[in-house]
Amino acid sequence: MPLTDYSVVYNGLTIGAGTMFPILSIEGLGGTSPLRIQDDNRGYIDGSYSGRDFYDERTVYIDVLVLGDNSTTAQANYKTLQNAFAPQPIGYYPDPTGLTPAAEQLKLFQYRLNGNTGDKQMYGRSRGLVTPIDPEFTYGFIKTRIQMTFPDPRYYDVTGTARSGTSFTVANSGWATSCPVITVASPSASGSINDGTIFMTFANVSGGALVIDLLQRVVYVNGVPTRNVLTAASTGWLSIPPNTTSATWTSTVGSMATTYRNAYV
């Protein structure tokens, strides 16, 4: 089902406008993600030492009204909602190699607030539902609250931009850093990928495709984590900074491919 205004799609179920699961309110999605503050006190001196702030994981609460119709009761629809948003015990970041079982990876969460904000996506997992049992539950007017957790607090455009070759430009019109996955299908034994400032230098690459997960900072060779191919000559990890109109990525390790998205937080 395509996204409509004020709707969410998660684990194969659409909730929101036009469904049996209208959304009453969403908390934690519209504002800035909580900050993990590194300030420290100055002991016997007034004030504090100013530290580096980082974004923490994002927790979102979705208040939903579950209804029924002539074909399905509200209680039956509530079971459908429980099934889709059942707590997920393990939630690893999406694995670009496909080796991690799908049931153990974070699930795609897509939403649209309205046409101006556009279609957005995140990867997260459900932490369950809280549902009061009262007379309205019996009469088919069920209010419940869904708790979602997103380890990466950023949200991204659903539509990405694909690039490939030994040199291409990338951009990010969002206000958060974007860190896509780079794939070099047939890498040479050594070389680098750079944006003119940051260089990722590789050596002793052999045995299959080179995959670089810039968000998780993991390097795979032939599907196996092999970060030791990243040499000490490297100066950092590539990313697409916010409000970047154009940056050029160049590879001497082979033709690369990536799909990047504008990022927001």
Side-chain angles (χ1 to χ4, degrees):
M1 181 176 180
L3 288 168
T4 58
D5 288 357
Y6 210 52
S7 67
V8 167
V9 177
Y10 176 79
N11 200 20
L13 181 67
T14 301
I15 63 175
T19 73
M20 291 291 101
F21 313 95
I23 296 173
L24 302 177
S25 65
I26 304 176
E27 177 185 333
L29 189 59
T32 304
S33 175
L35 294 176
R36 191 170 70 250
I37 298 172
Q38 306 295 313
D39 293 354
D40 198 3
N41 70 72
R42 300 182 67 192
Y44 287 96
I45 304 174
D46 294 334
S48 64
Y49 294 107
S50 181
R52 170 77 181 271
D53 290 348
F54 296 90
Y55 289 110
D56 210 343
E57 68 178 17
R58 185 186 292 270
T59 299
V60 174
Y61 299 95
I62 307 172
D63 292 326
V64 176
L65 176 63
V66 183
L67 303 173
D69 57 17
N70 292 332
S71 61
T72 311
T73 66
Q75 291 77 13
N77 286 333
Y78 177 64
K79 290 180 180 179
T80 299
L81 187 73
Q82 285 180 299
N83 182 57
F85 287 90
Q88 184 179 346
I90 300 175
Y92 298 117
Y93 277 94
D95 182 355
T97 68
L99 296 178
T100 302
E104 297 180 1
Q105 297 186 52
L106 298 171
K107 291 182 171 59
L108 180 64
F109 176 95
Q110 295 182 319
Y111 68 94
R112 178 196 291 179
L113 301 181
N114 60 37
N116 290 326
T117 60
D119 297 350
K120 306 300 181 187
Q121 70 177 41
M122 309 169 73
Y123 281 91
R125 59 173 167 163
S126 172
R127 286 274 164 82
L129 293 77
V130 176
T131 308
I133 303 299
D134 55 20
E136 290 186 332
F137 185 99
T138 303
Y139 297 131
F141 197 76
I142 304 171
K143 293 181 180 179
T144 188
R145 167 168 276 204
I146 303 167
Q147 180 180 344
M148 299 288 302
T149 299
F150 301 93
D152 177 6
R154 288 164 285 204
Y155 53 96
Y156 303 84
D157 288 342
V158 168
T159 302
T161 301
R163 290 283 187 266
S164 62
T166 55
S167 182
F168 50 70
T169 59
V170 295
N172 175 16
S173 63
W175 52 82
T177 301
S178 185
C179 301
V181 173
I182 301 172
T183 300
V184 181
S186 300
S188 56
S190 62
S192 68
I193 301 175
N194 72 87
D195 63 0
T197 301
I198 295 175
F199 284 74
M200 299 185 69
T201 305
F202 304 91
N204 302 315
V205 180
S206 63
L210 173 66
V211 178
I212 308 154
D213 187 337
L214 296 174
L215 179 62
Q216 290 303 293
R217 298 191 171 185
V218 179
V219 177
Y220 301 89
V221 175
N222 198 28
V224 178
T226 318
R227 191 168 171 175
N228 61 342
V229 299
L230 190 62
T231 73
S234 300
T235 59
W237 292 80
L238 291 173
S239 65
I240 312 176
N243 303 306
T244 298
T245 56
S246 180
T248 301
W249 286 3
T250 301
S251 169
T252 62
V253 75
S255 180
M256 56 184 173
T258 190
T259 299
Y260 64 86
R261 291 175 169 81
N262 298 322
Y264 315 86
V265 73

